[in-house]
Amino acid sequence: MEYVSTRGSAPALDFEGATLAGLASDGGLYVPREWPRFTEAEIAGLAGLPYAELAARIMQPFVGDSLTPERLRELTAKAYARFAHKAVTPLKQLDEQQWLLELFHGPTLAFKDVALQLLGLLFEEFLSRGGDPLTIVGATSGDTGSAAIDAVAGRARVDIFMLHPKGRVSDVQRRQMTTVLSPNVHNIAIEGSSFDDAQAIVKRMFGDTAMTGRFAIGAVNSINWARLMAQVVYYFAAALQLGAPHRKVAFAVPTGNFGDVFAGYVAAQMGLPIERLIVATNVNDILHRALSTGDYSAGTVTPTAAPSMDIQVSSNFERLLFDVGGRDGKALAAQMTGFEATRAMQLTNAQREGAARLFTSARADPDQMAQAIRWAFDASGELLDPHTAIGLHAARTAGIDPAVPVVTLATAHPAKFRDAVERATGHRPILPARLGDLFEREERLVDLPGDYDAIAAYVAAHAVPRG
Ligand SMILES: *Cc1c(COP(=O)(O)O)cnc(C)c1O
């Protein structure tokens, strides 16, 4: 399988190259040249497979010749053996129509583990073949950082530099990052910044030839294609359990960077019968505005109880605009350059209509989020984290045909956001035993100003150069 950039001028890469590359050299994101498609009979034949086996089958067409089918199967088995639930992503019923897909049974309690546990193994595999040591630079609003650090800590030939906005991640999230003391892990708290500022610094580094010439800079954010590929699997897993391919299923997805919900779009392109993808946002609602009115314009970020959705610029939206807008890299490059200059753009008619065929959106304010937590607790005794609650609010208000099951992606364990859950329900979720003595462990991190040059200098001083 070949990967091309959404901005049309970077070289095409194979799966190995796309996994190690991060952002394309023209500033775009890598996408497969075409979508692999399963027939209805092939999809029916996937029902009942163990998760790791299903994962290998779904991913094989994307991986192409970069891994043999046997090796891919070994890596998925190893990645998903670390999950605390045998089903890896178990499905729970809330009422006649509403379901929860629990994606938080990995080591760091958020759905990011599903992709990053595999990505860590892919890095190790590809780096063992020679080439330059890898310098991963990432930005996190909390969950990507802990999941990525867990996935690469102590691995050979890779360093990870993780930027988080100081004081804007929960105490559990921060400690999950900063208590990992492996020498290849570098935590950086950016003073006075939001996630978008941290992400902008990372993107600038990918385009800084002084840095990319000296260091092989890789990505763990969802700009990395391999992450999205791994997330396609659980859409299949859930839909197969609910009767696909003979029955349609809708999904409600708490959305920030548009990675998770874009994986659902990929599943639909591969032939999975998806009724609707419901994009759920909090008050940071650029995606809701873009999908409902065509106006993609960034405001300022309002901090909320769902920090992984406190985002104004959603990287992966570019992948959707590319695909539904006719895959015209030159035109999209011009559109995105305009957006980067003015922080505003209008979707084209083709982009609006293409998105509207599959996507719906909804926005939840803090009261609606808290009500959804209480509703789920009353209906079924489940405690939801704030992100999942926003997804459930969207699921219940999107007007989906009552005959169609609606699956909300439960993106984080409630214990990761204990204070918000306790405020809504009066119940304080218990941290799972697998986190152990998180609150007793030593922390290590540096504080840096939100200034590109200071951060680039820090990375350059601590990373291993090419060659
Ligand atoms: C990352 C994250 C999201 C947003 O996912 P995107 O792929 O960025 O849209 C939602 N909820 C939680 C808990 C997350 O960690």
Side-chain angles (χ1 to χ4, degrees):
M1 173 69 77
E2 261 201 332
Y3 290 84
V4 296
S5 166
T6 51
R7 301 200 189 175
S9 52
L13 297 174
D14 66 2
F15 176 73
E16 176 177 340
T19 300
L20 295 176
L23 208 62
S25 58
D26 57 8
L29 294 107
Y30 278 105
V31 286
R33 191 181 284 289
E34 72 259 314
W35 302 117
R37 222 176 144 81
F38 292 147
T39 64
E40 195 176 318
E42 284 169 332
I43 293 173
L46 298 170
L49 292 177
Y51 190 90
E53 175 64 28
L54 178 69
R57 299 262 198 110
I58 307 263
M59 293 184 213
Q60 186 63 55
F62 293 110
V63 168
D65 298 331
S66 292
L67 293 169
T68 63
E70 297 70 44
R71 188 66 188 137
L72 177 59
R73 212 173 278 123
E74 284 166 16
L75 295 181
T76 59
K78 190 169 172 189
Y80 298 118
R82 285 200 63 199
F83 281 64
H85 197 294
K86 285 271 181 278
V88 182
T89 61
L91 194 58
K92 274 202 184 142
Q93 188 159 16
L94 293 177
D95 72 3
E96 292 81 358
Q97 187 178 21
Q98 303 296 331
W99 298 74
L100 271 189
L101 182 62
E102 293 185 348
L103 302 176
F104 51 69
H105 292 279
T108 72
L109 314 184
F111 84 93
K112 308 291 199 293
D113 288 321
V114 180
L116 283 162
Q117 285 295 317
L118 182 72
L119 187 63
L121 297 176
L122 290 173
F123 283 149
E124 185 171 68
E125 175 84 8
F126 295 147
L127 291 172
S128 75
R129 297 175 180 177
D132 296 316
L134 188 65
T135 301
I136 293 170
V137 183
T140 186
S141 50
D143 293 333
T144 293
S146 50
I149 286 169
D150 184 276
V152 305
R155 294 195 190 278
R157 311 194 70 236
V158 50
D159 275 281
I160 181 164
F161 294 84
M162 189 50 65
L163 281 53
H164 72 264
K166 187 176 164 82
R168 295 241 186 137
V169 301
S170 78
D171 54 351
V172 174
Q173 289 177 314
R174 189 192 67 254
R175 287 189 152 270
Q176 284 179 318
M177 298 192 279
T178 58
T179 61
V180 180
L181 303 180
S182 309
N184 70 333
V185 172
H186 312 268
N187 277 295
I188 303 173
I190 312 265
E191 288 158 1
S193 76
S194 71
F195 169 76
D196 285 329
D197 303 325
Q199 179 163 257
I201 291 171
V202 170
K203 283 198 171 168
R204 185 164 158 197
M205 203 170 295
F206 280 106
D208 176 352
T209 48
M211 289 297 286
T212 58
R214 263 184 84 198
F215 303 101
I217 299 191
V220 286
N221 284 98
S222 53
I223 59 175
N224 189 313
W225 164 257
R227 265 188 66 176
L228 304 193
M229 172 190 75
Q231 292 168 208
V232 173
V233 177
Y234 47 70
Y235 286 91
F236 275 87
L240 285 163
Q241 285 178 65
L242 292 172
H246 314 298
R247 187 185 189 202
K248 283 191 162 189
V249 178
F251 290 91
V253 186
T255 296
N257 241 333
F258 208 75
D260 209 5
V261 76
F262 187 75
Y265 174 82
V266 175
Q269 305 317 302
M270 293 175 76
L272 190 68
I274 294 181
E275 166 85 12
R276 284 270 119 193
L277 290 170
I278 306 158
V279 174
T281 75
N282 61 22
V283 295
N284 297 295
D285 62 352
I286 181 171
L287 286 168
H288 175 54
R289 283 183 282 118
L291 290 167
S292 50
T293 70
D295 170 33
Y296 189 77
S297 57
T300 51
V301 176
T302 306
T304 74
S308 295
M309 298 162 70
D310 292 346
I311 283 175
Q312 286 289 343
V313 180
S314 283
S315 301
N316 286 291
F317 200 51
E318 177 167 345
R319 286 184 159 117
L320 179 71
L321 297 181
F322 177 70
D323 205 50
V324 297
R327 293 196 156 230
D328 181 345
K330 292 257 173 326
L332 187 61
Q335 196 181 10
M336 293 308 301
T337 311
F339 173 75
E340 279 153 19
T342 62
R343 292 181 58 84
M345 69 186 187
Q346 283 297 318
L347 271 49
T348 65
N349 284 341
Q351 288 167 337
R352 280 190 72 175
E353 286 159 18
R357 276 197 286 278
L358 197 55
F359 291 92
T360 308
S361 63
R363 161 195 200 274
D365 65 26
D367 285 342
Q368 291 165 323
M369 185 273 286
Q371 276 163 21
I373 297 183
R374 283 194 293 273
W375 180 85
F377 190 67
D378 293 344
S380 65
E382 292 295 322
L383 283 181
L384 305 188
D385 101 281
H387 304 79
T388 306
I390 290 166
L392 181 63
H393 170 81
R396 295 184 66 232
T397 54
I400 303 295
D401 176 344
V404 174
V406 184
V407 177
T408 297
L409 273 49
T411 50
H413 192 292
K416 228 173 165 172
F417 301 94
R418 296 176 294 175
D419 297 339
V421 177
E422 187 175 11
R423 275 197 298 276
T425 61
H427 294 267
R428 190 162 179 82
I430 299 162
L431 275 181
R434 64 186 185 281
L435 290 193
D437 58 350
L438 186 68
F439 282 84
E440 274 78 65
R441 284 183 233 151
E442 178 192 344
E443 291 191 78
R444 198 184 70 212
L445 75 166
V446 294
D447 288 349
L448 290 178
D451 165 49
Y452 179 75
D453 293 327
I455 289 154
Y458 184 86
V459 172
H462 294 86
V464 182
R466 292 178 184 273

